[in-house]
Amino acid sequence: MSYNPDNQYRCTIIRGKSQNEMEDLLPMYANMVHRFCPCSKSEFDERGNRFLSKALFGTEQYDSLPDSNRKTVRNHLTEIAGTLLALYRTGQDGYVYETDLCSFLLSTNDFPAYFRNLCLNFQFPNGTKKVNHVLQDISNGINIKPYCYVVSLLYYAQLQVQKLLLTKQEVGYYVLNNLDVLQGKVDISAVYAQIIYDRQHNVIKDKLSGSHDWQHIKEQFNLLELANIVCTDKNYIWLNKDETAAIQVFIKSCNTNQFDVYSYDLSSIDDRNQFYADWEQYYGRLNSELAALPTTFSSEENIVIADRQSQLAQRGSVGASTIDIGDRGETLVYNLERERVGNYKPRLVNKVLLLGKTKGLGYDISSIEADENPAKPEFARYIEVKATTRITEPSFDEFWTDSLNLTQKEWVAAEQYRDYYNIYRVYFTKAKTLIVRIKNPYDLATKDMIEVYPTTYQMNFNDKVLEHRYAGE
């Protein structure tokens, strides 16, 4: 097939938030879904509206909000948390279910790994659009996994040919806004050759800019960056060398659209409903090969401890080993506590104990107050560590929110130790590692400064309640 770079076609995706906002809001979305699902669609809407009204506007009274605020709440609940981020799906039984991607995110706290799976699943055409837009894409023969294609092109340009960096404008114009490419019929070598030819002959293409021409391309770059697959600056986009294994998964998947939009008759209401239900299930699924790969940040990381205004440096690779995020967070906090206590009185360093592998305590580290409580320096401090990997730094602004999960034993320990129980929240980000401390979360909850909800139930029973015994093999 001939390739005409000027054959432009605007293939849109849902407009999300900024990268920082997406990561700030992600744990809130995921925990909301986990808390409410499974439930009926009407119940999910009602509870989700109240939850997000409280989180975004400080009141659970969704119906009393101005129209613009209600629209914002619904956009967060449906367009972003559901359609774009695939954290939940609606079954044909009318119930709303947590997706595999949501469960994976909550179990690993690895935001980039979640976004990698999301990007790998994404394709055009898809069920994130209204049916008239899907039909338009189908009528134009659109059939591509855009993120896989972009990754393959960057790999070809950077590693297989001339180690050349492509500009964001080139990837936008020649790939993501080009009908021939979006139809899945143009080999990456042809696109690369055309870009080089035009560079050598000083062919200047129209610049894509403004919300209409550039927004849908920017959104796709944002998601690839949140997946830790690419890096960008003002002009260029390139592959992240730390994610070689994940990049290979994208390249292998470049020509395999595993969700066949063209097998549905969208003029049929039943087929249309089936199409959207099947898409939600596909889009929210987990790729086991990709999920097994840890997120890697190989640069030197600055560790910032927010509640004592000090900065330390530590070389290390976040995700470079098989140790999970939680263990890395515990080890990091343990070492920092030893340093803090040692600076106060070296003889007390042996009071700092790493106990994360000891079951049933409700905390990971036993330390002492030391310099941070001069009146009672040798009183015990109980520390529970909660760590997350993300690309951007938390904003910590007035609209910022976060969410984490505690076990029953951890919450019992919080009640028992009160002022001496602390949650150390560790954020492994691409630029630095940040640690913040939440002191006495139990009292904060009683003062309504934080919200705590039970999310699991233990059921104990005996033989008196058994209705029937089925024979085993």
Side-chain angles (χ1 to χ4, degrees), residues 14-15 74-85 88 128:
I14 290 175
R15 184 169 185 169
R74 294 300 297 167
N75 181 63
H76 279 275
L77 183 63
T78 59
E79 292 286 291
I80 301 178
T83 309
L84 177 62
L85 297 180
Y88 66 86
T128 68

Side-chain angles (χ1 to χ4, degrees), residues 23 110-116 226-228 295 297 389-391:
E23 291 198 303
D110 189 335
F111 290 14
Y114 156 81
F115 279 109
R116 283 198 295 273
L226 288 172
N228 204 38
T295 295
F297 303 147
T389 299
R390 50 184 284 167
I391 297 297

Side-chain angles (χ1 to χ4, degrees), residues 170-366:
E170 287 169 338
V171 174
Y173 191 90
Y174 290 84
V175 177
L176 294 177
N177 216 52
N178 180 265
L179 180 59
D180 299 336
V181 172
L182 292 171
Q183 290 173 338
K185 299 177 180 179
V186 182
D187 189 79
I188 57 174
S189 60
V191 175
Y192 177 81
Q194 186 68 55
I195 291 173
I196 297 304
Y197 177 88
D198 288 349
R199 279 190 182 186
Q200 292 173 344
H201 292 82
N202 294 317
V203 176
I204 306 299
K205 299 298 183 183
D206 293 337
K207 184 176 180 179
L208 299 171
S209 61
S211 179
H212 182 271
D213 292 336
W214 186 249
Q215 186 64 43
H216 62 290
I217 296 168
K218 177 184 175 182
E219 295 291 343
Q220 295 179 73
F221 290 161
N222 280 345
L223 289 173
L224 278 172
E225 282 193 90
L226 288 172
N228 204 38
I229 294 293
V230 305
C231 306
T232 69
D233 60 17
K234 183 178 180 181
N235 297 311
Y236 292 92
I237 179 171
W238 64 93
L239 292 178
N240 178 4
K241 61 181 177 59
D242 295 329
E243 297 290 353
T244 302
I247 287 167
Q248 291 303 318
V249 176
F250 274 73
I251 292 172
K252 284 191 301 183
S253 303
C254 187
N255 296 315
T256 56
N257 274 19
Q258 294 172 316
F259 183 82
D260 185 8
V261 178
Y262 289 85
S263 65
Y264 297 87
D265 177 11
L266 296 183
S267 64
S268 161
I269 297 297
D270 289 341
D271 244 29
R272 186 181 304 176
N273 291 337
Q274 187 68 53
F275 159 71
Y276 280 109
D278 290 349
W279 167 259
E280 288 183 352
Q281 186 161 12
Y282 162 80
Y283 190 39
R285 73 177 189 168
L286 194 65
N287 178 283
S288 57
E289 184 178 6
L290 206 55
L293 301 175
T295 295
T296 302
F297 303 147
S298 64
S299 60
E300 180 176 291
E301 62 182 34
N302 292 318
I303 302 172
V304 180
I305 300 86
D307 76 344
R308 62 187 178 99
Q309 306 301 314
S310 65
Q311 292 191 1
L312 305 167
Q314 169 181 305
R315 295 196 66 85
S317 179
V318 177
S321 73
T322 57
I323 304 173
D324 68 20
I325 296 168
D327 286 349
R328 292 199 304 273
E330 290 173 22
T331 301
L332 174 62
V333 173
Y334 170 71
N335 289 332
L336 290 173
E337 279 295 294
R338 284 179 59 85
E339 181 188 26
R340 181 181 68 86
V341 173
N343 288 339
Y344 174 72
K345 282 185 181 178
R347 67 177 177 82
L348 296 177
V349 167
N350 62 356
K351 297 283 189 180
V352 182
L353 303 175
L354 181 57
L355 303 168
K357 300 303 181 185
T358 304
K359 301 297 183 182
L361 292 179
Y363 53 89
D364 299 312
I365 296 168
S366 175

